[in-house]
Amino acid sequence: MQKLILICALDRLSDPGSYGFSVEAGGHRVDGFVVLRDGECFAYRNSCPHTGSPLDWVDHQFLDIEGALIQCAVHDARFLIDTGECVSGPCPGESLESLQIRVEGGEIYLLGTA
Ligand code: FES
């Protein structure tokens, strides 16, 4: 059975913008982040495919300066916002692990299992 786990209010994010979170889902801690771009939300686990490190070095900051790509602060890998695919840096062709979310009533939820 699917369960909605609150991440944050949609208006917590600028567009483009990002927000890091850590929630309990089905007995596991999920560390992730959401990205809002052109009114659309995407979510990924906060683990770089290069070494497994968290991507952010400042809280909630996952985008490059232009807000065009997701950026790993450790070795500067860049990822497409909509697919999580690495397009430059040390892990080309690898991808961030996407997380299922739902936006409902102005809130962003992670879809977990009960
Ligand atoms: S840990 Fe992300 S680029 Fe190396």
Side-chain angles (χ1 to χ4, degrees):
M1 188 176 123
Q2 284 205 315
K3 191 178 164 194
L4 297 179
I5 299 142
L6 180 64
I7 294 173
C8 67
L10 183 59
D11 64 10
R12 174 69 182 70
L13 285 90
S14 44
D15 186 350
S18 56
Y19 182 85
F21 64 89
S22 182
V23 296
E24 198 70 33
H28 307 284
R29 183 136 294 274
V30 178
D31 294 314
F33 61 97
V34 288
V35 176
L36 178 64
R37 189 193 59 189
D38 297 334
E40 212 178 337
C41 280
F42 305 90
Y44 298 97
R45 202 173 287 277
N46 188 8
S47 175
C48 182
H50 182 217
T51 69
S53 298
L55 287 87
D56 52 322
W57 61 280
V58 173
D59 282 353
H60 308 300
Q61 183 58 56
F62 292 86
L63 298 181
D64 63 6
I65 195 102
E66 296 83 17
L69 294 167
I70 295 165
Q71 177 176 15
C72 178
V74 184
H75 306 109
D76 203 28
R78 308 288 173 112
F79 304 88
L80 298 176
I81 288 174
D82 55 349
T83 65
E85 184 188 349
C86 178
V87 290
S88 81
C91 45
E94 293 192 64
S95 291
L96 297 166
E97 183 185 342
S98 68
L99 298 172
Q100 283 194 294
I101 54 171
R102 183 183 299 170
V103 180
E104 205 173 280
E107 312 272 18
I108 306 171
Y109 296 92
L110 180 70
L111 291 184
T113 46

